[in-house]
Amino acid sequence: MAKYGEGDKRWIVEDRADGANVHNWHWAETDCLDWSRNLLSNLLSGLTVTDGEGDLFIKIKKVDKVDGEAYLNVRKGKIIPGYEISVTLSWEGEAKDSDGNSLLKAEGLVEIPYISDENADEDPELKVSIKDEGPLGRRLKEAMLAKGKPLIFDKVRVYVQTMAKGGPAKDELEVKKIVPKAQSTAAATKPKELVVEKKAAAKKEAKKGFKTITLSEKFSCRARDMYEILMDENRWKGFTLSNARISKEVGGEFSIFDGSVTGTNLELQDGKLIVLKWRFANWDDGIHSTVKLALDEPEPGVTVVKLAHTDIPEEDRYGNATVVENTERGWRDLIFNRIRAVFGFGI
């Protein structure tokens, strides 16, 4: 074993005189808690929830607290966000009569106890409270929950996505690739065919990171009833307890689970087939999967739904490698089992 200071210099990592972390080989960490407070305050403070709908006027006053920890790490060019924070918001509401006279002014809190990088692909738990629990106070509280919840979740998603992209440290954590001049010149003179070939090979290699889910589920209903449920936004709202917007036309767009899933109708056969272009909001930009739902009625009153969900990425934009498992669980627990429970289609 070589004595300290006498080792082969090719294997010794020395501090650079300019202090640069070449290729971000070592961990670089940035504390983002104060930045998180500022960003969430900018996103949420003064946000209007209702402006006279049902004679109710509600807005978020300010972000009272953001507690916990938030940081960004970088290792060899990969940005790794970490955060476990809780958020408390104060809100105010006013109920008026049809003539515009004030009936009640009240204040309350919104508490989000846990926003975490481990659950970046899920909307967090949200609790709404109000100081006045009378009939008008309950109306304001219910309106705050119904109208304010999706607005708040949209802003939380902005925070999550901004952290994933590097947050306050994006510029300083970016890898600065130093390409030798000779290499750069050689790249510029490469034949066009070789560049195209490399891109095709890279695309083929990337396709290996995609998976397929196949499920077969049986329901006690007619096939046309199941088709109508899957294509009706009001029924989606009912069994998922979330906002939904669904077109019934080929080429039309849909948005379900408060916008967490979006896509386009590719093929529709009444009572028989639904084919969708489908993506989750936390997937990388440009990534889409295909959902095929084939409906068969082997006997009257019994419908079999065969799902084939293809081209599901193994990781989301945050590096979470549970996309396939979460997607399969979502189809079973949040869609098929909920349809059975709400509409009584269990067998």
Side-chain angles (χ1 to χ4, degrees), residues 42 62-63 71 73 90 121 125 127 164-165 171 231 236 247 251 317:
N42 290 334
K62 63 177 181 176
V63 174
Y71 54 85
N73 285 325
S90 56
D121 58 342
E125 178 187 0
K127 300 176 182 178
K165 293 176 182 177
D171 293 335
M231 294 303 300
W236 269 88
S247 168
R317 68 169 77 232

Side-chain angles (χ1 to χ4, degrees), residues 50 53-58 91-95 103-109 128-148:
T50 62
E53 299 174 39
D55 295 320
L56 301 179
F57 299 80
I58 302 172
W91 64 278
E92 61 184 8
E94 182 178 10
L103 299 175
L104 175 70
K105 290 183 179 180
E107 296 183 342
L109 295 176
V128 176
S129 61
I130 192 168
K131 294 179 181 178
D132 189 312
E133 286 289 353
L136 287 176
R138 286 196 297 271
R139 275 191 64 203
L140 287 168
K141 178 181 175 181
E142 290 168 2
M144 178 64 200
L145 187 60
K147 301 291 186 180

Side-chain angles (χ1 to χ4, degrees), residues 321-335:
T322 57
V323 174
V324 178
E325 294 87 343
N326 290 342
T327 302
E328 182 171 353
R329 190 183 309 115
W331 277 108
R332 287 190 186 278
D333 298 343
L334 303 181
I335 297 178

Side-chain angles (χ1 to χ4, degrees), residues 25-46:
W25 183 262
H26 305 292
W27 283 101
E29 182 169 304
T30 301
D31 189 323
C32 300
L33 186 58
D34 287 339
W35 173 86
S36 298
R37 290 191 183 102
N38 291 333
L39 178 59
L40 289 167
S41 292
N42 290 334
L43 290 170
L44 292 163
S45 296

Side-chain angles (χ1 to χ4, degrees), residues 135-259:
L136 287 176
R138 286 196 297 271
R139 275 191 64 203
L140 287 168
K141 178 181 175 181
E142 290 168 2
M144 178 64 200
L145 187 60
K147 301 291 186 180
K149 184 177 178 180
L151 293 177
I152 293 170
F153 282 167
D154 283 344
K155 302 305 181 184
V156 171
R157 290 187 201 112
V158 171
Y159 167 76
V160 169
Q161 292 166 7
T162 306
M163 281 289 287
K165 293 176 182 177
K170 181 178 180 180
D171 293 335
E172 65 183 86
L173 295 183
E174 279 185 345
V175 180
K176 294 182 173 64
K177 297 181 180 179
I178 304 173
V179 181
K181 187 174 181 180
Q183 182 180 337
S184 179
T185 304
T189 59
K190 283 184 180 179
K192 184 178 180 181
E193 293 78 5
L194 183 58
V195 174
V196 172
E197 184 180 338
K198 278 200 165 188
K199 286 183 177 180
K203 186 175 182 181
K204 184 178 180 181
E205 183 69 23
K207 200 67 175 177
K208 293 180 181 178
F210 292 78
K211 298 292 183 181
T212 295
I213 292 171
T214 57
L215 296 173
S216 181
E217 300 284 333
K218 189 179 288 187
F219 299 86
S220 177
C221 67
R222 304 303 299 265
R224 63 174 179 269
D225 296 331
M226 177 59 66
Y227 181 89
E228 289 173 2
I229 287 172
L230 292 171
M231 294 303 300
D232 185 271
E233 63 183 44
N234 289 321
R235 297 184 190 185
W236 269 88
K237 292 175 184 177
F239 74 79
T240 65
L241 301 178
S242 61
N243 288 325
R245 180 173 48 81
I246 298 175
S247 168
K248 297 183 179 181
E249 304 295 329
V250 173
E253 298 181 346
F254 67 88
S255 171
I256 54 179
F257 293 110
D258 291 327

